[in-house]
Amino acid sequence: MRQDDRAAFDRALHRGRVSAYAPGEFVGQESFMTAREIRALAVQAGIGPGVTVLDLCCGVGGPGRFLTGELGCAYLGVDGSASAVAIARERAGGLLCRFATAHVPPLPAGTFDVVLLLETMLAFEDKDALVREIAAALRPGGRLAFTLEEGSPLTTAERAAMPDADTVWLTTLDAMAAFLERAGLVVTWQEDHSHAHRAMAQALADAFAADAEDIAARIGRRALDELLAAHRLWIEWLDEARVRKLALVAERA
């Protein structure tokens, strides 16, 4: 599923997303994370007033706007999709958050207290190189707060079954820990969200299926079928513990 026109996907999936999340838990995110999980990860990373935050692959900026409003940080979100950034800017209103179009890597110039990477670590094949760039962008004592789809790399059959498999690069926790250590980052906090995200994936799949006619009219039947197929695979893999969903904070030593 290619989401070059993020506005069309955002409009098509909005009703399903709102209905799938518990009240107060949908804040414009494009993932399985809840608002409570997003805030908890940010708090563990020390995000608060005056803390500089770089959010990589921010999408339409829902979590960024939520954290800026909740915690008062100095926020910059970047994403490779110009249409996603346009939506983020439009919705920012009077919030003191900034958004920019940029492909990662490289990272934007400057140093930051916290780098966020929510639900998109799996999109980077070379995680070692990415983590090194992130570490270089962190001030001493700075933190990387991220989520990890943890598991062994996809088999050939699994890659054939997963839509857009070129954006799904699983890695084991041991391998991720080695990348972090080589970059001078030490894990200070970790939490397993596998059970909650399995339930969230099911709720979203059910909501999208219930709204299938309207979604297909907006983005096409093929895109809808790929969306549902991807959700079914995540449900299956989480059920079987083929994949775990983890949230982590790592600090620059």
Side-chain angles (χ1 to χ4, degrees), residues 136-207:
L138 288 172
R139 297 190 176 100
R143 286 81 64 197
L144 165 61
F146 68 105
T147 56
L148 178 69
E149 291 76 15
E150 195 270 341
S152 57
L154 297 184
T155 65
T156 300
E158 288 170 337
R159 298 199 72 79
M162 172 59 76
D164 276 359
D166 59 338
T167 63
V168 180
W169 304 99
L170 300 178
T171 193
T172 64
L173 185 58
D174 286 346
M176 193 73 232
F179 300 152
L180 294 167
E181 183 178 359
R182 283 198 290 270
L185 298 171
V186 178
V187 174
T188 58
W189 180 81
Q190 177 182 317
E191 191 166 80
D192 193 318
H193 291 167
S194 301
H195 180 73
H197 284 202
R198 192 271 179 220
M200 199 66 248
Q202 185 69 65
L204 285 164
D206 291 346

Side-chain angles (χ1 to χ4, degrees), residues 161-163 205 223-236:
M162 172 59 76
L224 171 62
D225 289 345
E226 290 182 346
L227 176 75
L228 293 174
H231 279 71
R232 285 193 293 268
L233 281 172
W234 287 119
I235 293 166
E236 177 185 328

Side-chain angles (χ1 to χ4, degrees), residues 1-4 9 13 17 162-167 208 215 219 222-228 230-231:
M1 178 180 61
R2 298 294 181 185
Q3 299 190 25
D4 299 320
F9 276 81
L13 304 183
R17 285 170 170 158
M162 172 59 76
D164 276 359
D166 59 338
T167 63
F208 295 152
I215 294 173
I219 61 174
R222 179 178 177 181
L224 171 62
D225 289 345
E226 290 182 346
L227 176 75
L228 293 174
H231 279 71

Side-chain angles (χ1 to χ4, degrees), residues 31 43 52 91 115-116 125 196 220:
S31 70
V43 169
T52 56
R91 293 177 180 170
V115 171
L116 281 177
E125 183 176 7

Side-chain angles (χ1 to χ4, degrees), residues 45-47 51 113-115 138-139 141-145 249-252:
I47 294 178
V51 174
D113 297 315
V114 177
V115 171
L138 288 172
R139 297 190 176 100
R143 286 81 64 197
L144 165 61
V249 176
E251 183 173 325
R252 182 181 170 189

Side-chain angles (χ1 to χ4, degrees), residues 1-251:
M1 178 180 61
R2 298 294 181 185
Q3 299 190 25
D4 299 320
D5 182 0
R6 293 288 275 279
F9 276 81
D10 184 75
R11 289 191 298 269
L13 304 183
H14 180 77
R15 184 164 59 188
R17 285 170 170 158
V18 170
S19 67
Y21 284 88
E25 294 296 340
F26 179 66
V27 290
Q29 65 270 42
E30 303 167 278
S31 70
F32 299 154
M33 294 189 82
T34 63
R36 186 178 306 175
E37 291 168 350
I38 293 167
R39 193 183 193 283
L41 178 58
V43 169
Q44 288 293 334
I47 294 178
V51 174
T52 56
V53 177
L54 172 63
D55 186 4
L56 304 177
C57 307
C58 68
V60 299
R65 296 191 303 274
F66 172 64
L67 293 178
T68 302
E70 285 277 302
L71 302 177
C73 53
Y75 173 95
L76 170 62
V78 298
D79 196 274
S81 168
S83 60
V85 169
I87 294 170
R89 286 172 173 164
E90 180 183 350
R91 293 177 180 170
L95 290 171
L96 297 178
C97 49
R98 298 179 294 131
F99 297 94
T101 303
H103 289 278
V104 176
L107 271 62
T111 54
F112 302 87
D113 297 315
V114 177
V115 171
L116 281 177
L117 192 64
L118 303 180
E119 302 285 81
T120 46
M121 181 65 83
L122 82 167
F124 294 90
E125 183 176 7
D126 191 348
K127 294 173 176 45
D128 194 10
L130 174 67
V131 168
R132 288 175 184 272
E133 287 220 20
I134 290 172
L138 288 172
R139 297 190 176 100
R143 286 81 64 197
L144 165 61
F146 68 105
T147 56
L148 178 69
E149 291 76 15
E150 195 270 341
S152 57
L154 297 184
T155 65
T156 300
E158 288 170 337
R159 298 199 72 79
M162 172 59 76
D164 276 359
D166 59 338
T167 63
V168 180
W169 304 99
L170 300 178
T171 193
T172 64
L173 185 58
D174 286 346
M176 193 73 232
F179 300 152
L180 294 167
E181 183 178 359
R182 283 198 290 270
L185 298 171
V186 178
V187 174
T188 58
W189 180 81
Q190 177 182 317
E191 191 166 80
D192 193 318
H193 291 167
S194 301
H195 180 73
H197 284 202
R198 192 271 179 220
M200 199 66 248
Q202 185 69 65
L204 285 164
D206 291 346
F208 295 152
D211 207 20
E213 185 175 344
D214 183 69
I215 294 173
R218 292 173 181 270
I219 61 174
R221 175 59 61 176
R222 179 178 177 181
L224 171 62
D225 289 345
E226 290 182 346
L227 176 75
L228 293 174
H231 279 71
R232 285 193 293 268
L233 281 172
W234 287 119
I235 293 166
E236 177 185 328
W237 292 347
L238 288 163
D239 267 340
E240 298 172 353
R242 167 67 178 88
V243 176
R244 289 194 300 160
K245 295 294 295 297
L246 306 176
L248 302 99
V249 176
E251 183 173 325

